[in-house]
Amino acid sequence: MLDRFRSQGLKVAIARPSALFGCGGPKTKLLHRFLDTAARGEVISLVPPVTDRIDFLHAADFSNAIIKIIEKNFWGTLNFSSGRPVSIYELACECVAAAGSGHVEVMDIKKVYEPCERFFLATERAWQKLEWEPCIGIKEGLSMTLREQLLPKGSPVV
């Protein structure tokens, strides 16, 4: 339908992000649960496979990508990701580091898993067409997200 309207002159941009995270994200998501657990000083218990990798993209980087689309008048489909996927284990460890408390424990399950990557999108086209690249890495993004999660309800995010 969008292609039909595009042929009639509608300017359409389809922005496909990888796994978004950041302030205001759903508290039920893995990343937020890990941060909450670590902030409480509790154990993040992992069950294999812990080597699966996820390409997280901070919401601020995705917002900047949308601004670039508008500024450059690019009307098409683009993928956006950090290009730096992290394993479930690495994510848990980074959450502990960001919180400054808690620790990670991997349950010992004797089963062989083939690691996979999730939400890993080819973003070269976005980099070329928009001169866009992500700026917020997982460490900084987790710290920003944790600060927002720990604020009392109704407090402005700084």
Side-chain angles (χ1 to χ4, degrees):
M1 185 166 80
L2 289 176
D3 281 336
R4 181 172 158 240
F5 289 132
R6 188 184 319 210
S7 69
Q8 296 173 3
L10 179 68
K11 295 178 180 177
V12 176
I14 299 172
R16 300 178 50 208
S18 61
L20 288 174
F21 79 105
C23 301
K27 305 298 184 225
T28 56
K29 295 290 187 178
L30 178 74
L31 185 141
H32 292 281
R33 290 194 333 256
F34 282 5
L35 277 175
D36 284 340
T37 301
R40 290 191 309 269
E42 298 174 359
V43 176
I44 300 174
S45 294
L46 301 178
V47 176
V50 297
T51 55
D52 283 3
R53 300 173 73 72
I54 302 171
D55 193 339
F56 289 101
L57 177 66
H58 196 274
D61 281 331
F62 186 56
S63 296
N64 287 331
I66 300 303
I67 291 168
K68 288 271 195 182
I69 286 172
I70 294 165
E71 288 175 348
K72 301 248 182 205
N73 285 311
F74 180 84
W75 312 114
T77 302
L78 294 171
N79 295 331
F80 298 93
S81 72
S82 72
R84 296 179 297 273
V86 296
S87 71
I88 301 298
Y89 180 76
E90 291 166 330
L91 175 64
C93 291
E94 291 292 350
C95 288
V96 166
S101 62
H103 67 277
V104 179
E105 185 177 282
V106 179
M107 307 298 277
D108 186 21
I109 296 179
K110 305 289 187 220
K111 187 173 179 184
V112 177
Y113 292 93
E114 187 70 31
C116 69
E117 286 190 353
R118 300 184 190 286
F119 307 108
F120 189 70
L121 302 173
T123 59
E124 294 81 15
R125 188 167 184 232
W127 295 351
Q128 292 168 354
K129 298 288 185 187
L130 303 178
E131 298 172 7
W132 171 89
E133 63 182 315
C135 299
I136 301 172
I138 194 74
K139 289 178 194 224
E140 181 184 0
L142 288 173
S143 293
M144 292 165 61
T145 303
L146 183 61
R147 281 194 307 270
E148 185 265 341
Q149 280 185 209
L150 295 177
L151 288 173
K153 292 206 184 278
S155 297
V157 177
V158 181

